[in-house]
Amino acid sequence: MLRPIDPSETPPPVAYRVPWFVRRTDPRHPVLVNGSAESADFVRVFRDDRSGERTQLWGQVLPSEDIELCLCAAEVDDVVVTIAWFRPADGLEYVWRFVV
């Protein structure tokens, strides 16, 4: 629904490029890489597949750091991975999903 813009309202945050990219060399062990120049804080990874939802807590992921995600027990064609993190620059939580 469209509405008039109120100039006194706080504007939404500026667009921000997702810092992650995925190396899919081995579908059972994709590697997530923080491709940005800043760290990602309180990183959590949620994997949802037929075997149930799994959560991993990664903590802080530094720039250029890569972490392997083990999907050995999962049906790889049916896995949705969600990664959530906080950005130190603004303190907001961001979420990104991908399919292996």
Side-chain angles (χ1 to χ4, degrees):
M1 180 173 169
L2 295 176
R3 64 177 181 82
I5 296 175
D6 181 355
S8 65
E9 286 182 6
T10 304
V14 177
Y16 156 64
R17 179 184 289 236
V18 173
W20 309 102
F21 67 89
V22 182
R23 282 194 230 126
R24 293 177 167 93
T25 309
D26 178 359
R28 296 249 176 232
H29 297 97
V31 177
L32 274 79
V33 180
N34 180 355
S36 78
E38 65 184 19
S39 63
D41 291 339
F42 307 107
V43 178
R44 295 165 330 281
V45 177
F46 308 94
R47 183 186 88 210
D48 191 12
D49 59 31
R50 291 181 191 173
S51 67
E53 188 173 315
R54 306 273 191 271
T55 303
Q56 293 181 8
L57 304 175
W58 288 356
Q60 186 180 53
V61 179
L62 300 173
S64 302
E65 187 174 359
D66 59 357
I67 301 177
E68 184 177 300
L69 183 62
C70 182
L71 301 177
C72 292
E75 202 50 53
V76 176
D77 292 341
D78 203 26
V79 179
V80 176
V81 177
T82 304
I83 184 165
W85 71 98
F86 286 88
R87 186 175 179 210
D90 59 16
L92 295 174
E93 183 176 27
Y94 293 85
V95 178
W96 181 60
R97 300 179 83 183
F98 69 94
V99 177
V100 180

